[in-house]
Amino acid sequence: MIPKDHPRYESLMLRAKIVDAYKKGILADSGMIAHGRGEAFDYLIGEKTTETARKAERAGAAALLLAENPVISVNGNTTALAAELVVELAETLGAKIEINLFYRTASRVEKVEETLKDAGARRVLGIEDEEKGIIDGLEGPRARASLEGVYSADVVLVPLEDGDRAEALVANGKTVVTVDLNPLSRTAKTSSITIVDNVVRALPNIIQEVAEFKNYSDDDLKMILENFNNDQNLEESLKIVSRTYIGDA
Ligand code: ATP
Ligand code: MG
């Protein structure tokens, strides 16, 4: 048991969820390493949503609301940390949920699907017996995407994505919204909208923005997108990382 008054309680709880998911076979061993990298960057931004991240979350919400076929692509880490939040966002948006695993095995896909269904998902795409299309520029099982999901999506939310796949999705003409604590990762640099925040804070914020923007016109939403510059936003996040590091936050 982690005592509630421990100064790093939240962080330790997330770590416990990750270890638990690994033990249950939801997460690959390397997923724990990816989490550790995320933790390090979260430490550097002060383990809270920055104003800069909030701007990206607003832009991400606008892009998802403007989408014809929005899809949330989930992996083991996102499922372990935020299955309920993924389902809530999908319901609020009318978006589809699709499983995409870096280290894909039939058993892991099944467990991820079960976890999402337990969290309330009515339908989960990206499972084994399903018609798939190939995303150009990728190889192996990672290239395969559900025909009615990521393959035909115009906007995809891909938290904690691998750089190759983010790049291929952008090259295939999709608007890619990612959540990645490392502002220097290839995913962060190649995505259309990069939210430098922990997925457990980013998703509730996006859900809140989507609810707030529901009555906005398409023109209002497009304006939010036009006023957002991803490179500039990443630069701001990098500055925050270094400011926090020298103790001048
Ligand atoms: P890239 O392939 O984009 O260059 P990478 O190879 O360094 O990135 P991956 O293992 O492919 O990293 O992806 C994991 C990414 O997810 C890392 O950049 C890490 O910072 C980030 N990450 C891990 N946990 C979280 C979290 N809880 N919230 C947000 N981001 C996270
Ligand atoms: Mg990678």
Side-chain angles (χ1 to χ4, degrees), residues 63 86 91 145 148 177 242:
V86 166
E91 291 288 326
E148 58 170 304
V177 184
S242 44

Side-chain angles (χ1 to χ4, degrees), residues 102 161-164 186-187:
F102 194 91
E161 186 52 273
D162 180 54
D164 283 4
R186 286 172 309 148
T187 304

